Amino acid sequence: MTRARKTPGRVAFVGSGPGDLGLLTVRAQELLTRAELVVTDPDVPVEVAALVPETAEVRPAVGEPADVAKDLVNEAKNGRSVVRLVAGDPLTADAVVEEAASVAKSTIAFDVVPGVAAGTAVPAYAGVALGAVHTEADVRGSVDWAALAAAPGTLVLHASASHLAEAASSLVEQGLAPQTPVSVTTEGTSCAQKTVDTALASLASDAGDLAGPLVVTVGGAVANRAKLSWWESRALYGWRVLVPRTKEQAGAMSERLRSHGAIPVEVPTISVEPPRSPAQMERAVKGLVDGRYQWVVFTSTNAVRAVWEKFAEFGLDARAFSGVKIACIGEATAAKVRSFGIIPELVPSGEQSSEGLLAEFPPHDDILDPVDRVLLPRADIATETLAAGMRERGWEIDDVTAYRTVRAAPPPADTREMIKTGGFDAVCFTSSSTVRNLVGIAGKPHARTLVACIGPQTAETAKEFGLRVDVQPDLAQVPALVDALAEHANRLRAEGALPPPRKTKRARR
């Protein structure tokens, strides 16, 4: 009998791009999520490294290129799916080129997934239009300054602060005008990106204290940067915004904040847990199947999730809602219901709150409504406003605890200190419980921190705790809340109450 051979794996050289997670290619994400071993560079962005599954082994690339390549080949021969994760673009780094050449000499198949190159991405994020002709060079090693100065189009230089003086003096010596416009960007494509505008003559003095790898663009195109500076000019650029939401729910808000340039800091204030006793929910689900209810009213996405989880336990699906009308207190909750293939009959067109729903909820009619009962699955700490209002309209209410909200553990000490001392520019509250629990576990936000509340009840709770409510959107939705905060920041900036979202030029020292 012939012994079966182990099927060899593959090696993929994957570029992480310049920093912004949104620039990672689809192919790179696919390979990372399927990898069994990831051999990574130390300067790969943290957000990219976080995509590696917990089941994968992660190790640093250590040693000479030949040593790294030997390790990659051996692991692939053992049948593992190997990703060599490289900061930037793999085949633009000389050491990685050597690794790929060594792997190519073996019998192991390999792939190369390019990353978006920092030399083009960072100027684009800084608002510099490179055009069709530009020249890129790394000036941290040996440089032919004469050839570089004679090159056509805009120059894109990779440097560190210690190389700026030499670069400026050498280019001027080779014929470039001292007044030639220059922009210097650090932490390019991240929410901490900073760009300094200067000229060759003052390059070292104006940008000499910038840390980390720098991308320096030199040439006439830099003079038009202000017109195209879309990244650093966003309304909340560089703001630290506190997101007091559960880990499961923080993602959408954080992503929206990033789109406006903010740096979200997620601090879970509540944990959503099942009710202590499942009996109430089990009776409610049985009642749905038996036709006990005319309406089901969902007040939150957590309530929707809790009901569907209970459906799964009993092997039910959306058909259990046959003949039942569904009302949702807001668009976010309605979207969660629609994700299960069901269209709600009622979503308030006005204020998205208990009062808004009550204003549009129909009274019970003995002729039109053969069943007079409403199922109201919600949190254990929900107020009585909605249930009492429906009873006044003639409905019988089954007010069922679908989930419990439990106060989360306090955040780290440095986060608590930032909250109390004004280290956050803004905080976004999405429910009364997030207000109560944040104050309970971390203290009241400082008076200089802008407070944004998703709706009137949340705003009222914030005021009860002595907070000044600065922002409240017309629509009680997370996107609307974040957008309203951005509009408020722009309004304050126009009134001179805030500094501009970025500095386009540093003061001369």
Side-chain angles (χ1 to χ4, degrees), residues 62 82 100 121 123 125 187 197 200 202 204 233 256 292 299 302-304 311 361 413 436 453:
V62 178
V82 182
Y125 272 54
E187 298 190 64
D197 290 340
L200 271 179
S202 51
S233 61
R256 193 77 171 193
R292 176 180 172 83
T299 59
N302 285 327
V304 179
F311 274 21
F361 201 83
R436 286 190 292 266
C453 294

Side-chain angles (χ1 to χ4, degrees), residues 258-281:
R258 289 189 192 97
S259 74
H260 286 290
I263 303 169
V265 178
E266 298 172 2
V267 176
T269 58
I270 60 174
S271 174
V272 176
E273 297 184 3
R276 289 188 174 89
S277 171
Q280 264 194 329
M281 278 290 284

Side-chain angles (χ1 to χ4, degrees), residues 240-385:
R240 292 194 176 274
V241 180
L242 186 61
V243 180
R245 303 202 81 192
T246 63
K247 292 181 180 179
E248 296 78 13
Q249 293 179 316
M253 177 178 283
S254 295
E255 182 58 33
R256 193 77 171 193
L257 285 165
R258 289 189 192 97
S259 74
H260 286 290
I263 303 169
V265 178
E266 298 172 2
V267 176
T269 58
I270 60 174
S271 174
V272 176
E273 297 184 3
R276 289 188 174 89
S277 171
Q280 264 194 329
M281 278 290 284
E282 288 174 358
R283 284 196 299 269
V285 170
K286 185 177 185 300
L288 276 170
V289 176
D290 293 341
R292 176 180 172 83
Y293 301 109
Q294 183 77 8
W295 284 89
V296 177
V297 177
F298 288 114
T299 59
S300 69
T301 57
N302 285 327
V304 179
R305 188 180 297 109
V307 169
W308 252 266
E309 287 175 355
K310 190 59 68 174
F311 274 21
E313 287 182 26
F314 289 100
L316 300 173
D317 56 27
R319 288 171 292 184
F321 282 106
S322 177
V324 181
K325 296 178 181 178
I326 295 179
C328 297
I329 215 167
E331 282 295 338
T333 305
K336 189 68 176 177
V337 170
R338 293 187 191 103
S339 71
F340 292 102
I342 298 174
I343 307 300
E345 276 77 13
L346 176 59
V347 181
S349 57
E351 182 180 298
Q352 299 199 343
S353 63
S354 295
E355 291 80 2
L357 182 64
L358 285 172
E360 299 181 32
F361 201 83
H364 177 251
D365 187 304
D366 290 330
I367 298 175
L368 298 178
D369 303 313
V371 180
D372 67 350
R373 193 167 293 274
V374 174
L375 174 60
L376 185 57
R378 52 190 187 148
D380 57 333
I381 59 172
T383 63
E384 289 297 314
T385 303

Side-chain angles (χ1 to χ4, degrees), residues 153-155 180-182 217-223:
T154 303
L155 299 181
T180 302
V182 180
T217 50
V218 182
V222 176

Side-chain angles (χ1 to χ4, degrees), residues 404-430:
R404 293 183 299 127
T405 55
V406 180
R407 182 177 290 181
D414 57 345
T415 303
R416 297 198 301 273
E417 184 67 16
M418 286 180 64
I419 292 171
K420 295 176 183 177
T421 60
F424 288 102
D425 298 284
V427 56
C428 293
F429 290 117
T430 55

Side-chain angles (χ1 to χ4, degrees), residues 235-244 253 257 262-267 415 418-429 438 444-453 467-471 481-482 484-489 492-493 498:
L236 303 178
Y237 187 77
W239 283 32
R240 292 194 176 274
V241 180
L242 186 61
V243 180
M253 177 178 283
L257 285 165
I263 303 169
V265 178
E266 298 172 2
V267 176
T415 303
M418 286 180 64
I419 292 171
K420 295 176 183 177
T421 60
F424 288 102
D425 298 284
V427 56
C428 293
F429 290 117
L438 180 69
K444 276 174 44 175
H446 192 277
R448 74 166 62 99
T449 301
L450 294 179
V451 175
C453 294
L467 298 177
R468 179 196 68 251
V469 177
D470 302 286
V471 177
L481 174 64
V482 175
L485 176 62
E487 291 169 8
H488 184 71
L492 291 177
R493 195 170 287 113
L498 289 178

